[in-house]
């Protein structure tokens, strides 16, 4: 499970309506001439500020300090040239939603005092293998410019879906000796050797969170590379690191970290080892990833003694509110966590193959749980148990054990209905199933009016309502109609243009849309592009939308972060026309067979287009054509 | 759903095998053993071929059964999650029955799930493979003949019993721990109690 930091990067909770990238073509101040003109109080070399101007300047600077939201700051920067400059010199937290929207040099030229950087790279569909490897989103071109501009201030870097190399990590550590916080979500390209160098050099490190990232096993003992002696570590999350670790070194580290509040262990840490760590640090931990929650395969012969009292060590974990892990759970050990259930606000069983019977005694005590992730092994009965207790539930995610189209489904409309009835405060749901009915989805739209994120994945493509045989149009239609706060929607099942019509008509706040194997004609996409003014991110795969549909969104694309369309009906000519009409858009055709001899009718297998201040990127691989 | 997913065999020697590959990359071999049902022709078969032919991420290809039955990237689950979900080792209704197995002379204990096996022959064969030895032939009167090893277990009452004397169902429900005895102790047990 992503920790709350990574969740904040997901933006689904952010209800602002303005674009979230660096402000763009609407920034009039950028076009002003350098010499102050009109009423601007910008200070230049020739201009002698009056006392009043200085006062106003100070006031402005102090007031701007209170602006933390990037959208507020973007707005402030548009007022006039002076505000633009002041804002740029005072912005300390930088968010860049698409690393190719702006160049590192441009960023460092504008913002001079950045302490914290959030940088996102690949589009989400890359997670599912729809993007060939080596596409881009490298952190490397950023490292030197950051080092030049923000030393020694920069202390936090959060990257999502970026490729980071060992060298990048080393350079980062060397350039910023006071570095405090590194969060890598869904990143790749580095390994334990990079980690070892990084942790050795960052002696002020407080946070190292590796979330769902691919870390190569260079057979380096990186845990031992943390500096000896007392550490200021507050958060160490490495659930996703798939290599064994030096447990004695970890134990020492935990012992030397009195400020440690968050610990996420990987599956190579056994329950016995967890026990020892909890003995040291249990009472202080607010967030725990338990590791395997199973026995070590290797135990010395003659290990016949009593197993430790796991429940007692958990009872001492009075601060624990977030619990995940259970990577190789032996369900017999579940009772150990009973003592902490009542305090939990987040429980993640999404790697634990447990059934309803095993879940029941745990969830029965989880009255305060707001976030619950699980596998569909808990079945509809398990969901009913959740619905019976977790009145405060805000977020539910149910993942499939058998992630195949024609697999056996264990959850269905029965579970969804139960959740909608038991959890009226639900805001976010991700639900994988084999079959669903419109009735249950409609019920959820009525019972859970606070829904902000609704993502339903019926794994069989084009599958209709399994009771009525109807398309799923009415269900999704009800969601956009009744859930007035909805900002993110992902659809599945058999959908006609009607569903798109509903979304375009009612989805006025929708910012992120994902479609797959949906729709009949170009009209579907048109409805959405014309009807959803807040649209930021649109991902479509395997749907029958062509060039005409693409062109119907020309008015919208500068307001969006990106559009992804793969295996649709686009041609090179159609995409090229968009590129011509919108020069600030980078239009990438990915996976195109032949760069040189482009025919007009050649299909574009994957279109990924995004607004950008820097134009065509200079690291285009050979399977990408920029139109 | 295939009940016996590749990693369903709990005697996962591969888990302790020393290798340099990333975890999860051995699924290619295990997948090949599947008896995949014949799927109905897919409406987007061409899409599948196109996608399959491109340089898609290796993880995606490894986790999918033979290409023609699955579309790349569908359903939308990250390969990390697909690779790391622990498979159900037995029938869905009941949890596994895990017992420790020790063998005289071997430095490490193992743990096995009794629910995975249908009967004594399977279990004994698995143990033979796990510890690389031979169990003799079982007979009710004489125990295990033809080998210096005898499989024994500790039952609910704390008694050490010879494996095979009671019906299978009774055995798996009362077995707390396993010990493969060697030498004279084994012979002692073998001579009819």
């Amino acid at each position: 499970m992503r920790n709350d930091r990574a969740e904040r990067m997901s933006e689904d909770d952010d209800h602002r309506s303005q674009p979230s990238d660096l402000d763009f073509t609407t920034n009039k101040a950028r076009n002003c001439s350098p010499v102050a003109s009109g009423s601007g109080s910008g200070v230049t070399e020739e201009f002698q500020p009056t006392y009043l101007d200085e006062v106003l300047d100070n006031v402005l600077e102090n007031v701007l300090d209170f602006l933390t939201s990037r959208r507020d700051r973007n707005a402030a920067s548009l007022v006039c040239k002076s505000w633009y400059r002041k804002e740029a010199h005072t912005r300390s937290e930088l968010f860049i939603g698409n690393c190719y929207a702006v160049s590192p040099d441009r960023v460092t030229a504008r913002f001079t005092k950045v302490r914290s950087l959030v940088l996102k790279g690949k589009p989400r569909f890359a997670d599912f293998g729809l993007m060939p490897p080596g596409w881009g989103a490298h952190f490397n071109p950023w490292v030197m410019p950051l080092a030049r501009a923000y030393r020694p201030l920069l202390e936090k870097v959060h990257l999502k879906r970026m490729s980071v190399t060992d060298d990048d990590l080393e350079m980062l550590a060397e350039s910023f000796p006071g570095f405090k916080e590194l969060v890598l979500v869904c990143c790749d390209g580095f390994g334990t050797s990079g980690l070892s160098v990084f942790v050795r050099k960052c002696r002020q490190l407080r946070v190292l969170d590796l979330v769902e990232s691919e870390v190569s096993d260079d057979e380096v003992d990186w845990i031992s590379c943390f500096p000896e002696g007392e550490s200021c570590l507050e958060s160490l999350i490495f659930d996703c690191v798939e290599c064994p670790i030096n447990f004695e070194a970890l134990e020492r580290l935990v012992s030397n970290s009195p400020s440690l509040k968050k610990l996420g262990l990987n599956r190579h840490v056994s329950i016995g080892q967890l026990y020892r760590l909890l003995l040291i640090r249990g009472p202080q931990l607010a967030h725990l990833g338990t590791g395997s929650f199973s026995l070590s395969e290797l135990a010395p012969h003659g290990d016949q003694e009593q197993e430790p009292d796991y429940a007692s060590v958990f009872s001492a974990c009075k601060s624990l509110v977030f619990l995940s892990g259970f990577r190789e759970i032996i369900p017999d050990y579940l009772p150990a966590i009973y003592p902490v259930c009542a305090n939990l606000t987040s429980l993640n069983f999404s790697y634990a193959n447990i059934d309803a019977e095993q879940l029941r005694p745990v969830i029965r005590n989880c009255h305060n749980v707001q976030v619950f992730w699980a596998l569909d092994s808990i079945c509809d009965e398990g969901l009913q148990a959740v619905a019976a207790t977790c009145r405060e539930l805000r977020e539910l995610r149910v993942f499939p054990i058998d992630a195949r189209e024609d697999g056996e489904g264990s959850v269905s409309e029965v579970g969804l209905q139960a959740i909608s009835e038991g959890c009226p405060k639900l805001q976010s749901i991700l639900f994988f199933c084999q079959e669903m009915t419109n009735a249950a989805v409609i019920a959820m739209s009525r019972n859970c009016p606070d829904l902000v994120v609704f993502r339903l994945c019926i794994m069989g493509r084009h599958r209709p309502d399994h009771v009525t045989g109807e398309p799923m149009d009415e269900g999704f239609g009800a969601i956009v109609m009744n859930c007035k706060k909805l900002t993110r929607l992902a659809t599945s099942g058999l959908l006609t243009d009607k569903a798109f019509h509903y979304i375009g008509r009612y989805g006025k706040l929708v910012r992120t849309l994902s479609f797959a194997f949906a729709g009949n004609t170009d009209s579907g996409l048109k409805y959405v592009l014309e009807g959803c003014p807040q649209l930021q991110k649109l991902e479509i795969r395997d749907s029958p939308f062509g060039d005409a549909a693409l062109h119907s969104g020309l008015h919208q694309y500068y307001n969006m972060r990106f559009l992804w369309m793969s295996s649709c009906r686009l041609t090179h000519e159609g995409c090229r026309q968009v590129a011509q009409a919108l020069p600030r858009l980078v239009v990438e055709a990915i996976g195109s067979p032949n760069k040189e001899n482009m025919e007009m009718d050649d299909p574009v297998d994957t279109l990924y287009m995004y607004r950008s201040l820097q134009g065509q990127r200079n690291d285009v691989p050979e399977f990408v054509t920029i139109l | 759903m295939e009940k016996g997913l590749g990693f369903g065999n709990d005697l996962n020697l591969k888990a302790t095998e020393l290798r340099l590959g990333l975890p999860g990359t051995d699924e290619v071999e295990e997948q090949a053993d599947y008896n995949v049902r014949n799927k109905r022709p897919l409406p987007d078969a061409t899409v599948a071929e196109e996608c399959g032919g491109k340089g898609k991420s290796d993880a995606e290809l490894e986790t999918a059964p033979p290409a023609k039955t699955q579309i790349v990237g569908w359903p939308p689950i990250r390969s990390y999650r697909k690779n790391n979900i622990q498979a159900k080792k037995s029938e869905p209704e009941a949890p596994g029955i895990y017992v420790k197995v020790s063998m005289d002379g071997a430095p490490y204990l193992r743990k096995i799930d009794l629910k995975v096996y249908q009967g004594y022959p399977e279990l004994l064969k698995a143990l033979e493979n796990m510890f690389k030895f031979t169990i003799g032939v079982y007979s009710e009167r004489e125990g295990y003949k033809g080998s210096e090893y005898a499989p024994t277990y500790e039952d609910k009452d704390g008694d050490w019993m010879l494996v095979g004397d009671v019906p299978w169902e009774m055995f798996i429900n009362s077995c707390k721990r396993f010990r493969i005895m060697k030498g004279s102790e084994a012979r002692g047990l073998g001579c009819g109690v």
Side-chain angles (χ1 to χ4, degrees):
Chain A
M1 181 180 222
R2 303 176 200 181
N3 63 2
D4 36 295
R5 257 182 223 94
E7 274 305 310
R8 283 203 289 279
M9 294 174 73
S10 140
E11 301 170 67
D12 285 328
D13 301 324
D14 202 333
H15 292 278
R16 304 300 180 116
S17 56
Q18 300 225 348
S20 56
D21 297 3
L22 246 28
D23 48 306
F24 188 36
T25 49
T26 50
N27 185 353
K28 301 180 183 58
R30 189 163 45 77
N31 297 321
C32 288
S33 63
V35 175
S37 61
S39 58
S41 59
V43 178
T44 68
E45 294 91 339
E46 304 91 331
F47 191 75
Q48 290 298 324
T50 66
Y51 171 69
L52 197 56
D53 286 325
E54 278 180 30
V55 167
L56 284 175
D57 242 23
N58 284 334
V59 168
L60 182 61
E61 193 158 334
N62 285 311
V63 168
L64 283 178
D65 267 347
F66 288 99
L67 281 188
T68 45
S69 146
R70 62 178 185 266
R71 289 187 171 90
D72 288 343
R73 283 187 157 267
N74 288 349
S77 71
L78 298 180
V79 168
C80 67
K81 187 124 176 52
S82 148
W83 281 48
Y84 174 88
R85 278 213 304 252
K86 265 284 176 286
E87 192 285 312
H89 294 318
T90 55
R91 190 185 298 216
S92 63
E93 289 173 5
L94 198 54
F95 175 94
I96 299 173
N98 175 2
C99 64
Y100 287 126
V102 65
S103 71
D105 289 335
R106 194 180 180 122
V107 168
T108 55
R110 176 175 169 183
F111 299 104
T112 54
K113 298 208 178 65
V114 172
R115 289 179 180 273
S116 154
L117 171 69
V118 175
L119 190 58
K120 297 190 179 184
K122 287 175 250 195
R124 198 178 70 97
F125 272 14
D127 290 350
F128 314 127
L130 295 180
M131 185 88 101
W135 172 82
H138 303 287
F139 184 51
N140 185 265
W142 291 83
V143 183
M144 285 316 298
L146 290 174
R148 274 194 300 269
Y150 300 133
R151 194 185 171 134
L153 280 180
L154 187 68
E155 51 188 31
K156 298 185 194 181
V157 168
H158 296 205
L159 303 177
K160 185 169 183 179
R161 292 196 189 97
M162 303 270 312
S163 284
V164 184
T165 65
D166 289 340
D167 286 340
D168 296 337
L169 291 176
E170 179 165 9
M171 251 202 303
L172 198 62
E174 275 182 354
S175 309
F176 303 100
F179 197 80
K180 296 207 173 95
E181 191 170 314
L182 181 67
V183 176
L184 300 176
V185 179
C186 301
C187 294
D188 61 13
F190 64 103
T192 48
S193 55
L195 285 179
S196 66
V197 173
F198 185 80
V199 303
R200 193 182 316 121
K201 298 197 175 199
C202 291
R203 307 188 81 86
Q204 307 295 323
L205 195 65
R206 306 239 164 112
V207 172
L208 178 61
D209 290 353
L210 306 169
V211 180
E212 293 188 36
S213 292
E214 218 175 283
V215 183
S216 76
D217 183 0
D218 305 324
E219 304 194 355
V220 173
D221 176 7
W222 61 284
I223 297 278
S224 298
C225 294
F226 278 92
E228 296 283 330
E230 179 143 320
S231 124
C232 39
L233 209 55
E234 294 170 13
S235 174
L236 177 63
I237 306 218
F238 61 96
D239 310 56
C240 62
V241 179
E242 285 295 315
C243 5
I245 48 139
N246 177 341
F247 179 71
E248 280 68 38
L250 178 64
E251 202 173 11
R252 266 199 308 278
L253 177 62
V254 168
S255 186
N256 290 336
S257 306
S259 308
L260 194 68
K261 305 264 182 318
K262 299 187 180 184
L263 183 60
L265 305 169
N266 70 8
R267 63 181 181 85
H268 292 274
V269 179
S270 70
I271 194 170
Q273 292 171 328
L274 170 66
Y275 178 82
R276 283 159 63 175
L277 295 175
L278 290 180
L279 278 179
I280 303 171
R281 216 32 87 198
Q284 285 91 46
L285 288 180
H287 168 134
L288 175 67
T290 67
S292 71
F293 216 69
S294 170
L295 295 171
S296 173
E297 277 287 325
L298 306 175
H301 185 93
D303 178 40
Q304 323 243 317
E305 14 5 297
Q306 281 279 43
E307 289 201 285
D309 184 358
Y310 298 116
S312 81
V313 78
F314 269 98
S315 333
C317 296
K318 304 271 188 229
S319 315
L320 201 62
V321 292
F322 177 114
L323 187 59
S324 71
F326 309 104
R327 294 287 169 129
E328 291 176 1
I329 188 174
I330 293 183
D332 301 337
Y333 290 124
L334 264 180
I337 69 169
Y338 291 170
V340 296
C341 288
N343 281 340
L344 289 181
T345 55
S346 252
L347 178 56
N348 180 357
F349 276 141
S350 68
Y351 290 98
N353 192 337
I354 57 173
D355 59 26
E357 279 313 304
Q358 292 157 336
L359 174 69
R360 225 187 292 274
V362 174
I363 207 74
R364 197 162 42 209
N365 297 318
C366 294
H367 306 280
N368 291 312
V369 154
Q370 296 185 16
V371 177
F372 182 64
W373 293 21
L375 287 174
D376 64 358
S377 58
I378 65 171
C379 298
D380 288 328
E381 289 78 21
L383 290 173
Q384 285 164 335
V386 173
T389 312
C390 303
R391 307 253 133 215
E392 298 298 317
L393 198 67
R394 305 283 198 275
E395 177 178 323
L396 174 69
R397 295 196 192 192
V398 179
F399 296 95
I401 281 210
D402 182 12
R404 293 182 301 167
E405 269 195 273
D406 295 316
E408 247 178 54
S410 316
V411 295
S412 69
E413 70 276 3
V414 172
L416 191 73
Q417 178 96 24
I419 291 289
S420 77
E421 288 166 5
C423 309
K425 299 188 187 179
L426 199 64
Q427 293 173 358
S428 171
I429 183 165
L430 170 62
F431 197 87
F432 284 86
C433 55
Q434 287 291 346
E435 48 189 31
M436 185 49 60
T437 64
N438 281 309
V441 178
I442 293 171
M444 176 157 271
S445 78
R446 296 209 177 107
N447 296 335
C448 303
D450 290 341
L451 275 176
V452 173
V453 174
F454 184 82
R455 299 158 70 191
L456 175 64
C457 184
I458 303 168
M459 288 188 275
R461 292 167 292 149
H462 309 295
R463 206 158 276 179
D465 177 325
H466 77 99
V467 165
T468 65
E470 299 276 308
M472 292 299 299
D473 297 337
E474 295 305 315
F476 285 102
I479 291 288
V480 284
M481 243 191 285
N482 298 333
C483 302
K484 311 264 192 278
K485 306 179 189 174
L486 197 77
T487 60
R488 180 169 180 184
L489 180 69
T491 65
S492 58
L494 181 65
L495 290 178
T496 71
D497 286 346
K498 197 163 180 213
F500 293 85
H501 179 72
Y502 283 134
I503 296 169
R505 177 134 177 241
Y506 297 106
K508 295 308 173 188
L509 295 183
V510 165
R511 295 207 306 265
T512 306
L513 282 173
S514 303
F515 300 117
F517 307 101
N520 305 124
T521 72
D522 283 347
S523 308
L525 184 53
K526 274 189 202 172
Y527 288 136
V528 163
L529 288 170
E530 287 166 4
C532 299
Q534 302 297 330
L535 198 56
Q536 294 285 293
K537 302 186 246 184
L538 181 54
E539 326 169 302
I540 307 175
R541 64 167 293 181
D542 295 279
S543 300
F545 304 132
D547 298 333
L550 187 66
H551 294 166
S552 68
L554 286 174
H555 66 286
Q556 188 73 314
Y557 297 137
Y558 277 163
N559 298 329
M560 290 172 57
R561 184 178 302 171
F562 72 81
L563 167 67
W564 169 290
M565 285 176 70
S566 58
S567 305
C568 298
R569 301 214 177 132
L570 303 173
T571 69
H572 264 276
E573 182 56 22
C575 296
R576 201 193 54 78
Q577 284 170 3
V578 173
Q580 262 194 333
L582 300 174
R584 298 277 197 177
L585 217 55
V586 173
V587 180
E588 296 196 10
I590 302 176
S592 297
N594 191 337
K595 268 173 86 162
E596 280 78 48
N597 321 329
M598 270 320 152
E599 295 295 322
M600 291 215 338
D601 291 339
D602 273 350
V604 166
D605 188 56
T606 299
L607 168 72
Y608 177 54
M609 63 190 208
Y610 48 91
R611 62 187 174 185
S612 174
L613 288 176
Q614 75 173 47
Q616 180 168 334
R617 57 192 173 105
N618 55 13
D619 58 358
V620 176
E622 53 100 31
F623 52 80
V624 171
T625 309
I626 310 263
L627 296 169
Chain B
M1 168 179 172
E2 303 292 336
K3 294 281 198 275
L5 289 179
F7 21 153
N9 182 354
D10 188 40
L11 304 178
N12 197 356
L13 292 175
K14 288 196 172 138
T16 52
E17 185 186 354
L18 288 178
R19 46 198 277 279
L20 294 179
L22 287 174
T25 53
D26 59 353
E27 265 136 52
V28 179
E29 303 143 67
E30 292 174 294
Q31 298 281 349
D33 294 333
Y34 279 9
N35 209 357
V36 181
R37 288 174 277 152
N38 260 332
K39 305 282 183 178
R40 64 184 182 283
L42 301 172
D44 301 3
T46 47
V47 174
E49 277 146 24
E50 258 182 26
C51 288
K54 300 207 165 69
K56 301 297 174 184
S57 99
D58 283 344
E60 213 55 43
L61 291 174
E62 281 166 9
T63 53
K68 74 176 170 114
T69 60
Q70 293 294 324
I71 294 276
V72 171
W74 187 262
I77 309 257
R78 293 206 184 100
S79 55
Y80 176 81
R81 192 170 272 287
K82 274 198 223 188
N83 291 346
N84 280 281
I85 289 178
Q86 186 194 17
K88 202 73 172 178
K89 296 175 169 62
S90 55
E91 297 307 302
E93 313 88 54
I97 299 177
Y98 289 89
V99 295
K100 289 189 195 175
V101 183
S102 63
M103 173 155 134
D104 292 356
Y108 295 115
L109 295 185
R110 303 302 302 264
K111 213 163 216 254
I112 57 171
D113 178 1
L114 292 179
K115 281 243 144 184
V116 168
Y117 309 103
Q118 264 73 58
Y120 287 116
E122 241 189 79
L123 170 64
L124 295 174
K125 191 94 184 90
L127 288 173
E128 283 184 330
N129 286 335
M130 192 185 248
F131 287 98
K132 306 274 188 281
F133 72 107
T134 345
I135 296 178
V137 175
Y138 175 74
S139 77
E140 222 176 276
R141 188 177 316 176
E142 294 181 341
Y144 288 86
K145 266 183 68 169
S147 144
E148 41 171 354
Y149 292 101
T152 68
Y153 70 99
E154 186 183 4
D155 73 1
K156 282 196 181 121
D157 303 322
D159 299 321
W160 284 93
M161 315 282 288
L162 189 67
V163 169
D165 287 343
V166 303
W168 173 254
E169 283 300 324
M170 188 185 297
F171 160 71
I172 59 175
N173 285 317
S174 63
C175 172
K176 271 176 50 186
R177 192 160 38 183
F178 234 92
R179 181 177 159 206
I180 300 169
M181 287 188 188
K182 188 176 169 180
S184 55
E185 272 193 271
R187 279 191 286 279
L189 268 182
C191 292
V193 174

